């Protein structure tokens, strides 16, 4: 197409889908080109501009503004490599978008800004070098650059926009420099070949879904500068085996690590206050977990379907355990609810098939519907305080389940939630003839409610007690004689009785 010298404007979508168009020459009179004027002109390799045009110019067939400071439009059919001229400071929104035959673009140090979707859907692009002058990379800038395997960042980039490298499925490693302070939402999601990511120590904000569905990502370190892990940030990173979370992180967002099916453990820093909904849901390889003392709330389904989780430590800072929090954690054997917890949500431990023992702290005032439903091996629940309000099916499917409560607590009857309720009151008898040394062993009677289960433990130092179990038994007919033949092996020996 060659325009006459009277044409001053080219309207929107004028040549859209002209798939055989190979070249365009713009006269000096053209001062306006409408949105999408050359969209889907897949053979268009050159846009030439009359040198007398003061509004537009051309460099190797790519359209620039008249002062050659902004790249406006690369024709969709341009192939091979392209070096942006020195002096260009801005790559406009969509400037190279859908140029599928470009293999590389070199961005000089003069460029300050890369616009939104500037190089999106450049499916043949394999390599990008971002100059040291660039300070911001716009949203979707390299979205769907499916052949892009390597990106080199300049040292002036301060922000990586939303979805910048989304669906860059050949991208295998990224180093984010220390100049970057924020990584936008979805920045690398669905970059399925990404195996490693190095995040600079200045990053304070990482947006939601930033690394979601990076299915090859094996290891990641969140720097101490970051304050949060966003919603869905590492969701469905199925190869992730190692996560180091910086000490500055205070919150873990909803579904942040859900479906990280290879993650065996997670260490949470001591400043984390909240664990979001479904945060570690379906982390099927997660074996053990220690929740720090800073956490106050375990949200809905936070650890649901963690089928390998055998133990979890809940600290005294937690006040609420949300519904479905540990739903279907089929390997969880026992759980201790601390005194700080006031509410246990509905179905919180639903279908924990291996759960055999639960201790519930004295602060719990309500247990919602089906909290321990479908736990067929749960035979013992020990309450340390008064009877809480309880929903339906509290103890369903535990055929031999028994509730135990302490002397002095109130609200108990012969049953609780449909299960037998029994006073747990073992006492060491120090005043009868059984107490003391007998035939080279030390022993005493223990009495209490018939058939209640107990564990006798011992330690050697009251200042730094390390308790170890000596005998696990039941008080058959309400009494049992305990003896310790090893007592002479220690300079001092202390004993205590607890629930199993």
């Amino acid at each position: 197409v060659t325009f006459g010298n009277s044409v001053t404007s080219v309207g929107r979508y004028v040549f859209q889908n002209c798939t055989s168009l190979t070249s365009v020459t713009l006269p000096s009179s053209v001062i306006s080109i409408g949105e999408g004027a050359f969209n889907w002109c897949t053979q268009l390799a050159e846009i030439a501009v009359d040198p007398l045009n003061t509004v537009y110019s051309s460099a190797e067939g790519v359209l620039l503004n008249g002062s050659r400071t902004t790249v406006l439009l690369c024709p969709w059919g341009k192939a091979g490599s392209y070096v942006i001229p020195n002096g260009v400071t801005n790559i406009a929104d969509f400037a190279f978008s859908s140029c599928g035959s470009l293999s590389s673009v070199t961005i000089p140090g003069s460029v300050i800004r890369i616009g939104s979707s500037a190089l999106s859907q450049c499916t043949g692009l394999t390599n990008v070098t971002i100059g040291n002058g660039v300070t911001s990379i716009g949203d979707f800038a390299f979205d769907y650059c499916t052949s892009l395997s390597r990106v080199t960042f300049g040292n002036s980039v301060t922000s990586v926009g939303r979805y910048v490298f989304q669906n860059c499925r050949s991208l295998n490693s990224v180093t984010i420099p220390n100049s970057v302070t924020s990584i936008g939402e979805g920045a690398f999601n669905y970059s399925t070949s990404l195996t490693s990511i190095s995040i600079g120590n200045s990053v304070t904000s990482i947006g939601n879904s930033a690394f979601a569905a990076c299915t090859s990502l094996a290891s990641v370190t969140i720097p101490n500068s970051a304050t949060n892990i966003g919603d869905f940030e590492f969701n469905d990173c199925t190869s992730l085996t190692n996560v180091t979370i910086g000490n500055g992180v205070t919150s873990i967002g909803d579904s942040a690590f859900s479906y990280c099916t290879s993650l065996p453990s997670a260490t949470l820093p001591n400043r984390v206050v909240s664990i979001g909904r479904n945060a570690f849901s379906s982390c099927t390889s997660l074996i053990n977990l220690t929740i720090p003392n800073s956490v106050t709330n375990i949200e809905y389904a936070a650890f649901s379907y963690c089928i390998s989780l055998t133990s979890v430590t809940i600290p005294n800072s937690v006040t609420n355990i949300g519904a479905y929090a540990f739903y279907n954690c089929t390997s969880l054997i026992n759980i201790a609810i601390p005194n700080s917890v006031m509410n246990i949500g509905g179905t919180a431990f639903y279908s924990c098939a291996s759960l055999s023992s639960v201790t519930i702290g004295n602060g719990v005032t309500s247990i919602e519907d089906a909290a321990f439903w479908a736990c067929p091996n749960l035979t013992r629940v020990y309450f340390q305080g008064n009877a809480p309000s309880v929903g339906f099916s509290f103890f369903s499917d535990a055929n031999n389940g028994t509730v135990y409560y302490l002397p002095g607590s109130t609200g108990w009857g012969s049953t609780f939630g449909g299960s037998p309720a029994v006073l747990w009151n073992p006492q060491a008898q120090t005043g009868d003839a059984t107490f003391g040394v007998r035939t080279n062993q030390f022993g005493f009677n223990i009495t209490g409610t018939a058939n209640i289960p107990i564990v006798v433990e011992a330690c050697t130092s009251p200042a730094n007690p390390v308790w170890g179990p000596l005998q696990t038994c039941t008080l058959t007919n309400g009494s049992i004689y305990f003896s310790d033949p090893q007592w002479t092996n220690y300079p001092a020996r202390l004993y205590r009785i607890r629930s199993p």
Side-chain angles (χ1 to χ4, degrees), residues 310-481:
T310 59
S311 65
V312 61
T313 301
I314 301 174
N316 281 320
S317 56
V318 172
T319 60
N320 178 66
I321 298 174
Y324 293 92
F326 295 92
Y327 177 89
N328 207 47
C329 291
T330 54
S331 297
L332 193 61
I333 298 171
N334 53 62
I335 193 78
I337 309 296
N339 293 335
S340 57
V341 171
M342 296 181 288
N343 177 68
I344 300 174
T347 61
F349 296 91
Y350 181 104
S351 196
C352 291
S354 300
L355 193 63
S356 61
S357 175
V358 174
T359 301
I360 297 178
N362 59 28
V364 172
T365 58
S366 66
I367 300 175
E368 297 179 10
D369 297 344
F372 296 93
W373 195 84
C375 298
N377 290 306
L378 183 56
T379 58
R380 305 182 303 274
V381 178
Y382 299 94
F383 283 87
Q384 296 179 321
N386 299 331
S389 63
V390 64
F392 72 86
S393 301
F394 163 71
F395 219 5
S396 179
D397 284 4
N399 296 329
N400 298 312
T402 302
V403 168
Y404 297 96
Y405 60 93
L406 293 176
S409 58
T410 62
W412 301 101
S414 60
T415 62
F416 178 79
S419 296
V422 175
L423 178 65
W424 193 86
N425 60 347
Q427 292 289 325
Q429 301 302 311
T430 60
D432 63 17
T434 65
F435 182 81
V437 177
R438 297 289 183 274
T439 318
N440 295 323
Q441 60 185 6
F442 179 80
F444 48 86
N445 271 337
I446 302 172
T447 62
T449 304
N451 301 319
I452 59 174
I454 65 167
V455 176
V456 181
E457 293 183 326
C459 78
T460 57
S461 171
N464 298 291
V466 178
W467 295 94
L470 300 182
Q471 184 177 351
T472 301
C473 58
T474 59
L475 294 187
T476 306
N477 297 321
S479 179
I480 193 169
Y481 179 73

Side-chain angles (χ1 to χ4, degrees), residues 68-142:
R68 300 173 69 87
T69 57
T70 299
V71 176
L72 298 174
L73 180 64
C74 180
W76 285 27
K78 188 169 180 61
S81 60
Y82 181 71
V83 178
I84 295 174
N86 282 322
V88 169
T89 59
N90 179 46
I91 301 174
D93 297 349
F94 298 96
F96 292 90
S97 180
S98 300
C99 293
S101 297
L102 277 178
S103 59
S104 70
V105 173
T106 300
I107 301 170
S110 59
V111 172
I112 298 171
R113 175 184 178 271
I114 299 174
S116 298
S117 300
L119 294 101
S120 65
Q121 301 186 60
C122 290
T123 54
L125 194 65
T126 60
N127 179 32
V128 168
T129 300
I130 299 172
N132 286 328
V134 174
T135 59
S136 67
I137 303 174
D139 299 344
F140 299 93
F142 298 92

Side-chain angles (χ1 to χ4, degrees), residues 167-179:
N167 282 297
C168 292
R169 296 180 179 179
S170 298
L171 191 62
N172 51 52
S173 68
V174 172
T175 299
I176 298 174
N178 287 331
S179 56

Side-chain angles (χ1 to χ4, degrees), residues 24-93:
V24 170
T25 300
L26 299 175
S28 61
S29 56
V30 171
I31 60 173
S32 173
I33 300 174
E35 176 186 353
F38 301 102
N39 277 0
W40 298 104
C41 295
T42 54
Q43 300 299 312
L44 182 60
E46 180 184 22
I47 300 175
V49 180
D50 188 309
L52 297 178
N53 192 309
T54 58
V55 176
Y56 297 107
S57 62
S58 180
E60 297 184 34
V62 175
L63 186 67
L64 284 71
N65 68 344
S67 60
R68 300 173 69 87
T69 57
T70 299
V71 176
L72 298 174
L73 180 64
C74 180
W76 285 27
K78 188 169 180 61
S81 60
Y82 181 71
V83 178
I84 295 174
N86 282 322
V88 169
T89 59
N90 179 46
I91 301 174
D93 297 349

